Amino acid sequence: MIATCEAGWSGFWLVRWLARRGIETYVIQPSSVPVDRRARRAKSDGIDAELLLRTLLAWLRGEPRVCSMVAIPSEADEDARRSIRERTELVAERVSLVNRISAVLATLGVQGYDPLRRDRRQRLDASCTALGNPLPANARAKIARMLDRLELLLQQIAELDRQRDAVLEDDAPDKAGEMIQQLATLRGIGVQSATVLVREAFVRDFANGKALGSYAGLSATPYSSGSVNREQGIGKAGNRRLRTVMVELAWLWQRYQPDSANVRWYRERAGTTGARMRKVMVVALAQKLLISLWRFVTQGVVPDGAVMKPAS
């Protein structure tokens, strides 16, 4: 028996439940299924089910580009990446709280207050408005409550950081931990970036570098029809967390690995162009760098010209 479903917010529990009962299940990426492009098209559960069934049959027959199937991660891999994603969410909450505190103080004319400093409480008590008066009672109480939440966030982020950094000290790591340790030996790559790369991408199996680039949403999307031939930029249809860290690494790679082959390639094409074109070209560098790092951890091929960190 074979079943199919769309990838959704409910995750993969249903797929695993069916697999334990001997039912072969395929998860289809919804945005990859071709649909009627009329302005008003009929849509119902029955029509969607029939469309999924016909799409699955076409995919099983081997028809090319009929849809994209979602790789089902193991329960261990899925659970391991929760901590790294939780840290990203907590950092976003921290930024939001800091901005809200600064917004309250800005309405009172208070400048130079940093909520992330350890003496945040003492500095709040010593702060005065632009008129030289003490902070109003309600404003002070509101900021104090936000500082309570901020300190809890800082404590949770520090706990996740300790859990993340412990992988580097593990003498008998698993496959993912070994890849994290291997990436962290390259200059310009820290444990945070290495953990995101491994947990979000490298624990999966990819047929080639092109498939990896497509998963990250870094693949080009050309538009060629008749006399129109232009490039629409990257697809952005993949893993946004992986794509974000790779663009950041592409900028850092130029600083810490200036003699690497990827950086030389980037400089030859973007060295004399303007700032806008350099931002466009850095995305291409991010794709090439992602494939190079993937080959480094899976095949042991060191990126050409890359420098390792000095041994501690």
Side-chain angles (χ1 to χ4, degrees):
M1 182 179 294
I2 299 178
T4 185
C5 63
E6 288 183 339
W9 63 272
S10 59
F12 300 99
W13 70 268
L14 178 59
V15 178
R16 299 189 180 106
W17 186 84
L18 293 173
R20 291 180 181 179
R21 286 153 180 80
I23 301 176
E24 185 179 356
T25 307
Y26 295 91
V27 181
I28 298 178
Q29 182 65 36
S31 59
S32 67
V33 179
V35 296
D36 194 341
R37 297 176 60 185
R38 289 179 294 184
R40 293 184 178 180
R41 64 182 182 90
K43 177 177 172 59
S44 65
D45 291 341
I47 294 176
D48 289 345
E50 182 182 358
L51 177 60
L52 286 178
L53 179 59
R54 288 190 284 108
T55 302
L56 176 63
L57 293 176
W59 189 83
L60 293 175
R61 289 194 300 266
E63 296 186 15
R65 300 184 180 181
V66 66
C67 70
S68 296
M69 291 294 178
V70 178
I72 303 173
S74 65
E75 292 186 71
D77 289 339
E78 187 177 19
D79 186 65
R81 70 188 182 192
R82 293 188 188 277
S83 59
I84 199 67
R85 292 186 176 185
E86 181 186 3
R87 185 186 184 279
T88 303
E89 296 168 357
L90 293 178
V91 169
E93 292 181 26
R94 183 188 67 186
V95 173
S96 176
L97 273 177
V98 170
N99 291 340
R100 289 166 59 188
I101 292 173
S102 299
V104 173
L105 293 176
T107 61
L108 302 173
V110 180
Q111 299 180 353
Y113 179 78
D114 186 3
L116 297 179
R117 290 183 50 161
R118 294 186 177 181
D119 59 345
R120 60 183 74 88
R121 299 280 184 175
Q122 294 79 3
R123 288 175 60 85
L124 179 65
D125 294 337
S127 297
C128 297
T129 66
L131 301 178
N133 301 323
L135 296 180
N138 289 333
R140 181 189 296 272
K142 179 179 180 179
I143 294 175
R145 286 190 291 269
M146 286 192 287
L147 287 179
D148 293 338
R149 298 196 292 273
L150 178 61
E151 290 171 350
L152 176 60
L153 283 174
L154 294 175
Q155 178 183 354
Q156 293 176 343
I157 292 173
E159 181 180 353
L160 289 174
D161 287 345
R162 288 191 295 268
Q163 178 183 346
R164 176 202 62 194
D165 297 343
V167 177
L168 298 180
E169 306 299 331
D170 193 354
D171 296 330
D174 56 6
K175 181 180 178 181
E178 184 178 353
M179 288 191 290
I180 293 174
Q181 293 179 357
Q182 190 175 357
L183 282 174
T185 60
L186 288 172
R187 180 184 295 178
I189 298 183
V191 61
Q192 174 66 19
S193 300
T195 304
V196 173
L197 289 176
V198 172
R199 298 301 184 188
E200 295 291 346
F202 295 163
V203 293
R204 297 171 176 260
D205 295 326
F206 297 96
N208 47 48
K210 183 178 180 180
L212 175 60
S214 178
Y215 172 74
L218 292 171
S219 298
T221 53
Y223 185 93
S224 180
S225 178
S227 59
V228 179
N229 189 359
R230 60 186 176 87
E231 178 59 51
Q232 304 177 100
I234 60 175
K236 292 187 178 181
N239 190 312
R240 60 179 177 82
R241 300 176 181 86
L242 176 62
R243 184 169 59 254
T244 300
V245 75
M246 281 312 306
V247 173
E248 293 175 354
L249 275 180
W251 290 111
L252 291 173
W253 200 256
Q254 300 175 53
R255 176 181 178 183
Y256 293 100
Q257 301 284 357
D259 298 326
S260 63
N262 288 329
V263 174
R264 294 197 304 268
W265 173 88
Y266 172 80
R267 288 175 177 172
E268 289 176 359
R269 288 159 176 79
T272 59
T273 59
R276 180 183 178 278
M277 185 53 62
R278 287 198 298 270
K279 291 181 181 179
V280 173
M281 290 300 300
V282 81
V283 178
L285 173 61
Q287 183 186 22
K288 293 175 67 68
L289 180 58
L290 174 62
I291 296 174
S292 298
L293 296 178
W294 172 65
R295 290 173 178 168
F296 174 59
V297 296
T298 57
Q299 304 173 16
V301 180
V302 180
D304 190 9
V307 179
M308 314 298 287
K309 294 178 182 176
S312 57

